[in-house]
Amino acid sequence: SANLEDANLINANLTNANLQWANLYKANLQHANLTNANLHANLADANLQWANLTSANLANASLENASLENASLPGVIWWNTTCPDGTNSSNNGDTCCGHLKDAVPAAGCD
């Protein structure tokens, strides 16, 4: 339940971090390693460009207006996730791939 609104977490190593219920609104997570992280959190308007989200749990997370350009997304759990374009992953075949709003597709969304 940490309040990390507007936090500067560029290049942070958050592997296996439990950020459940955290407020990461507008946080800068560029190039952060979030492998296996529990991100049932508010990531609205967050910058996740080039972040490694391999096998991250984004169930119930809000990614509305978040930037995931060039993020690594293989194995991400997308359940009831609010996608960057405002749609719900559960209505998109349990994925936000195709709903990321970025010009450059993220890895793992093939």
Side-chain angles (χ1 to χ4, degrees), residues 18-94:
N18 183 1
L19 295 168
Q20 186 170 356
W21 305 110
N23 180 16
L24 290 154
Y25 177 72
K26 290 191 177 181
N28 190 346
L29 292 150
Q30 277 186 311
H31 297 278
N33 185 352
L34 294 155
T35 302
N36 294 316
N38 180 358
L39 293 166
H40 173 162
N42 179 12
L43 291 154
D45 292 312
N47 183 350
L48 292 155
Q49 294 176 341
W50 298 99
N52 182 355
L53 291 153
T54 301
S55 299
N57 183 352
L58 291 170
N60 296 305
S62 175
L63 293 167
E64 192 160 4
N65 295 314
S67 177
L68 286 115
E69 188 171 355
N70 294 306
S72 181
L73 302 170
V76 166
I77 297 168
W78 308 101
W79 182 83
N80 196 39
T81 306
T82 303
C83 301
D85 67 358
T87 62
N88 188 292
S89 64
S90 296
N91 297 327
N92 302 331
D94 292 322

Side-chain angles (χ1 to χ4, degrees), residues 1-16:
S1 298
N3 184 6
L4 298 167
E5 183 174 335
D6 289 315
N8 182 355
L9 298 167
I10 296 172
N11 294 314
N13 183 359
L14 298 167
T15 302
N16 298 314

